[in-house]
């Protein structure tokens, strides 16, 4: 089948990759393939640390379980290594009340079979690097992971290129539809036609698709200096080790598409990180990145499966986590006409009711 993907973040490129690997002829159209929020993502695979429940949790766990195979398929085709680990995330608590709250959720997860280890206040103090600093206690969510989102994006671009996926640089301005089918996609440069269309336009979906997706600005710091075994996740900041540096994330701002890195953002993140790990005061500051999470009113993604198209947007804080399951959902629909139960659960229709 001849397939056109609109958008080149992790969701769009992984869908292009999987469809091309399955033998389809795939093109991607994007305004700028370096613009996607995925390039700025922390890459934490953290459904439990993020406190997800219900459908969002099961959707996340499905994706987490698809990750190892997805990474190895991609590494093979892209012929490059992607930093990826699944040695758990330490969910840090800052006081007794928060520790009790997270503990309640952690016990619920554990009853469902999730690997959890509680580290109380006394125990945490004995562990490096928590000999000083404010953290009260922690929970180790053993199955959570961490992927280098920049490397993932590099690999997706290379993997797509190696499979013959063509990338068109253009800004799409109009979708021509007739009897519920997409007829063509119009851009400033050209008009595009395909047998099937996939819309993965992230935070920029509102004007083109008329869906309630809005940007939630995030600033994230890059620093170099200390080695950390695993991600530290807290409400005031998270510290995410990569191969050669650390990320400190992330602000959450209602600021539209304001792409400026600000001193206020740097201060919030720096203060949070130093409260967690005072030893970070001496690390080398490498820079700030700014991205736009595709927010939705209920923080769930938005799917729509049409006769010859699929919409997959609104991945908010979990775009990297939900990448394999999103690509898999689209692949099953294109290949077998199969509708995953999540397409109904997260259908765009929920915003039209009432
Ligand atoms: N998932 C972390 C964030 O969006 O900041």
């Amino acid at each position: 089948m001849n397939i056109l993907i609109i958008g080149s973040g992790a969701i769009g490129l992984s869908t292009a990759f999987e469809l091309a690997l399955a033998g389809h002829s795939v093109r991607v159209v994007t305004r700028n393939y370096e613009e996607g929020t995925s390039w700025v993502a922390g890459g934490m695979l953290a459904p439990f640390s993020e406190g997800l429940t219900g459908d969002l949790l099961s959707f996340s766990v499905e994706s987490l379980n698809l990750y190892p195979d997805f990474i190895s398929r991609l590494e093979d085709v892209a012929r490059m290594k992607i930093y990826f680990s699944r040695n758990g995330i330490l969910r840090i608590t800052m006081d007794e009340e928060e520790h009790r709250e997270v503990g309640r959720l952690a016990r619920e997860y554990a009853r469902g079979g999730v690997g959890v280890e509680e580290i109380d206040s006394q125990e945490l103090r004995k562990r490096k690097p928590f000999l000083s600093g404010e953290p009260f206690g922690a929970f180790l969510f053993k199955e959570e992971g961490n992927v280098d989102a920049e490397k993932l994006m590099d690999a997706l671009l290379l993997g797509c290129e190696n499979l013959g996926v063509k990338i068109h640089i253009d800004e799409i301005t109009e979708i021509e539809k007739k009897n519920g089918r997409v007829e063509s996609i119009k851009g400033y440069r050209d008009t595009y036609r395909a047998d099937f269309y996939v819309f993965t336009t992230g935070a920029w979906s509102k004007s083109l698709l008329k869906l309630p997706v809005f940007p939630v600005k995030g600033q994230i710091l890059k620093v170099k200096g200390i080695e950390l075994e695993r991600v530290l996740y807290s409400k005031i900041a998270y510290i995410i080790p990569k191969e050669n540096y650390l990320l400190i994330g992330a602000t959450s701002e209602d600021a539209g598409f304001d792409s400026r890195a600000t001193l206020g953002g740097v201060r919030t993140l720096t203060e949070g990180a130093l409260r967690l790990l005072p030893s970070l005061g001496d690390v080398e500051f490498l820079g700030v990145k700014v991205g736009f999470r595709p927010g939705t009113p209920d923080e769930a993604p938005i799917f729509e499966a049409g006769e010859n198209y699929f919409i997959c947007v609104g991945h908010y804080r979990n775009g990297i986590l939900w990448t394999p399951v999103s690509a898999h959902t689209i692949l099953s629909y294109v290949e077998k006409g199969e509708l995953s139960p999540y397409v109904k659960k997260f259908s765009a229709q929920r915003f039209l009711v009432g």
Side-chain angles (χ1 to χ4, degrees), residues 42-44 46 50 218 220 233 238 249-252 293 316-319:
M44 295 181 293
E50 289 265 351
I220 194 163
Y233 185 106
Y238 17 87
T251 64
S252 208
R293 303 175 185 88
Y316 188 38
R317 300 174 59 86
N318 296 299

Side-chain angles (χ1 to χ4, degrees), residues 26-48:
V26 183
R27 289 173 297 151
V28 174
V29 58
T30 176
R31 180 166 73 180
N32 173 359
Y33 64 83
E34 290 177 333
E35 187 180 40
T37 302
S38 312
W39 290 101
V40 181
M44 295 181 293
L45 308 175
F48 313 116

Side-chain angles (χ1 to χ4, degrees), residues 45 51 55 61 89 140 176 190 218 265 311 314 338 342 353:
L45 308 175
D55 291 334
V61 169
I89 291 184
L140 173 63
E176 196 199 345
D190 215 338
I311 294 174
E338 253 173 40
Y342 295 108
V353 179

Side-chain angles (χ1 to χ4, degrees), residues 230-274:
R230 55 172 61 87
V231 176
L232 309 182
Y233 185 106
S234 82
K235 276 203 302 210
I236 53 171
Y238 17 87
I239 305 174
I240 312 165
K242 301 297 176 195
E243 212 168 354
N244 298 312
Y245 59 88
L246 301 176
L247 291 174
I248 298 171
T251 64
S252 208
E253 302 166 58
D254 176 11
F257 286 106
D258 170 13
S259 60
R260 295 170 311 139
T262 62
L263 276 185
V266 174
R267 182 183 58 193
T268 304
L269 296 172
T270 308
E271 278 174 2
L274 291 176

Side-chain angles (χ1 to χ4, degrees), residues 145-179:
N146 175 16
V147 63
D148 186 324
E150 277 185 27
K151 285 262 160 62
L152 178 71
M153 290 299 285
D154 281 338
L156 282 168
L157 283 172
L158 272 175
C160 283
E161 190 182 329
N162 291 347
L163 293 172
V165 173
K166 182 164 172 34
I167 297 190
H168 300 274
I169 305 297
D170 200 350
E171 181 159 355
I172 299 304
T173 52
E174 200 186 322
I175 303 167
E176 196 199 345
K177 261 176 134 182
K178 205 169 167 188
N179 301 327

Side-chain angles (χ1 to χ4, degrees), residues 1 177-182 195-199 303-312 330 333-334 337-339 343 347-349:
M1 210 186 282
K177 261 176 134 182
K178 205 169 167 188
N179 301 327
R181 287 177 63 85
V182 175
D195 301 323
F196 196 91
Y197 302 80
V198 182
F199 296 91
F303 295 148
E304 191 180 311
E307 210 180 304
N308 70 339
Y309 69 89
F310 198 102
I311 294 174
C312 185
I330 298 166
Y333 186 61
V334 171
E338 253 173 40
L339 267 190
V343 177
S347 157
Q349 295 297 319

